């Protein structure tokens, strides 16, 4: 069985190899990603090394940050975010202190989330708020599953991270059909290459099962698309084009033409 100390050499080697590869590309965005990795990996590894208490603290912090981001994506108000955050943190702490009560705490959290729009009498947006809150509880409540996972949770962190990096690099290099209109930059080639890299990582770390394979190869890309779907929602509820989208591409020529007209006007005035 894989242990946290046994994973440390793999993590160090992956960071070193990744750092050399990023330095060779000289691309700023990749350097920023690697720096985040270099800061995050020791923190995550240390938390898993401490066992359930450390994992619970890490999962609770990640849960609060994720709730804030999730609430911003789906335009949830402060009360909705506060209750959702309390529900997620409550699930994580329950998984640590009273694992047998997780389902009851999840049910209580769902009722609390439903109570916010109901008690506020929000007939116009109540159903949207309720659906978003319950989705957040299901999606982010998965963090509670990290607490009893031990080293396997760290293995999944490594495999998903490697799959994400390989998918990004392979998608840009190979191109091909888009994975979904929700994320114009994601390609099937990158997704499949990332899944293969993630599964290979699981196999090398002796953690390849059908459950871990689904979590890495399917759960990771679906989570990215779900986030992309939230990012494309504008303030009025319509689609908001992301960087690189077709609408953004249509705006750029208009801006260039407007800038050209201004330069011509200034030149004519000078003459």
């Amino acid at each position: 069985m894989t242990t946290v100390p046994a994973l440390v050499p793999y993590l160090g080697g992956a960071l070193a190899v990744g750092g050399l590869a990023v330095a060779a590309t000289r691309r700023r965005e990749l350097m920023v990603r690697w720096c985040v990795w270099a800061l995050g990996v020791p923190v995550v590894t240390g938390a898993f090394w401490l066992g359930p208490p450390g994992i619970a603290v890490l999962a609770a912090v990640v849960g609060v940050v994720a709730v804030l981001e999730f609430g911003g994506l789906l335009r949830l108000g402060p009360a909705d975010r506060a209750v959702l955050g309390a529900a997620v943190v409550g699930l994580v702490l329950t998984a640590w202190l009273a694992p047998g009560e997780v389902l009851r705490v999840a049910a209580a959290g769902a009722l609390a989330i439903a109570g916010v729009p109901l008690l506020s009498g929000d007939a116009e947006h109540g159903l949207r708020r309720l659906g978003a809150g319950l989705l957040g509880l299901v999606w982010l409540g998965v963090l509670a599953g990290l607490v009893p996972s031990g080293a396997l949770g760290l293995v999944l962190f490594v495999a998903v991270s490697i799959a994400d990096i390989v998918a990004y690099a392979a998608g840009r290099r190979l191109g091909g059909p888009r994975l979904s209109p929700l994320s114009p930059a994601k390609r099937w080639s990158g997704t499949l290459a990332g899944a293969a890299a993630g599964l290979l990582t699981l196999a090398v770390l002796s953690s390849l099962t059908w459950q871990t394979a689904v979590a890495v190869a399917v759960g990771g890309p679906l989570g990215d698309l779900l986030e992309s779907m939230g990012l494309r929602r504008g303030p009025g509820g319509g689609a908001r084009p992301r960087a690189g989208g077709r609408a953004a591409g249509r705006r750029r020529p208009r801006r260039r033409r407007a800038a050209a007209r201004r330069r011509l006007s200034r030149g004519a005035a000078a003459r």
Side-chain angles (χ1 to χ4, degrees):
M1 180 178 178
T2 304
T3 62
V4 174
L7 290 173
V8 172
Y10 291 99
L11 292 169
L15 276 176
V17 173
L20 292 175
V22 167
T25 64
R26 298 183 179 180
R27 297 187 59 174
R28 175 180 170 79
E29 56 181 320
L30 295 181
M31 292 180 182
V32 171
R33 289 190 178 203
W34 184 87
C35 288
V36 172
W37 248 71
L39 293 174
V41 166
V43 173
V44 173
T45 304
F48 276 89
W49 200 308
L50 294 174
I55 301 172
V57 171
L58 175 66
V61 172
V62 171
V64 171
V65 174
V67 165
L68 293 176
E69 182 178 356
F70 179 83
L73 290 176
L74 297 187
R75 309 186 308 280
L76 292 177
D80 298 280
R81 298 188 200 190
V83 173
L84 176 57
V88 172
V89 172
L91 272 178
V92 171
L93 296 180
T94 302
W96 170 33
L97 301 172
E101 302 296 323
V102 168
L103 291 180
R104 294 183 181 179
V105 172
L111 289 175
I113 289 171
V116 177
L118 291 175
L119 295 177
S120 65
D122 187 358
E124 183 178 359
H125 301 291
L127 284 178
R128 178 189 61 80
R129 292 167 59 190
L130 173 60
L134 294 177
L135 173 62
L137 181 63
V138 172
W139 189 16
L140 304 179
V142 175
L143 289 168
L146 292 176
V147 177
S149 67
L152 181 59
L154 186 58
V155 169
L156 290 175
F157 167 76
V158 174
V160 170
S161 300
I162 290 177
D164 185 56
I165 294 172
V166 171
Y168 173 82
R172 292 180 64 91
R173 172 71 65 176
L174 301 176
R178 292 176 178 173
L179 178 62
S180 168
L182 292 172
S183 184
K186 288 183 173 59
R187 309 286 174 171
W188 273 106
S189 59
T191 301
L192 295 177
L199 296 179
L200 178 61
T201 302
L202 291 173
V204 169
L205 298 178
S206 304
S207 301
L208 181 59
T209 63
W210 73 265
Q211 295 95 330
T212 57
V214 170
V216 172
V218 180
L222 288 183
D224 288 341
L225 289 179
L226 184 59
E227 182 180 6
S228 297
M229 184 168 60
L231 286 171
R232 290 177 67 87
R233 300 298 298 175
R240 181 179 64 195
R242 300 182 66 186
R246 286 177 294 179
R250 284 195 298 266
R251 285 198 299 268
R252 294 191 191 104
R254 296 174 186 171
R255 292 172 182 168
R256 295 193 189 103
R257 288 195 294 269
R261 284 195 295 268
R262 287 194 295 270
R263 288 195 296 268
L264 288 174
S265 299
R266 286 196 296 267
R271 290 195 295 270

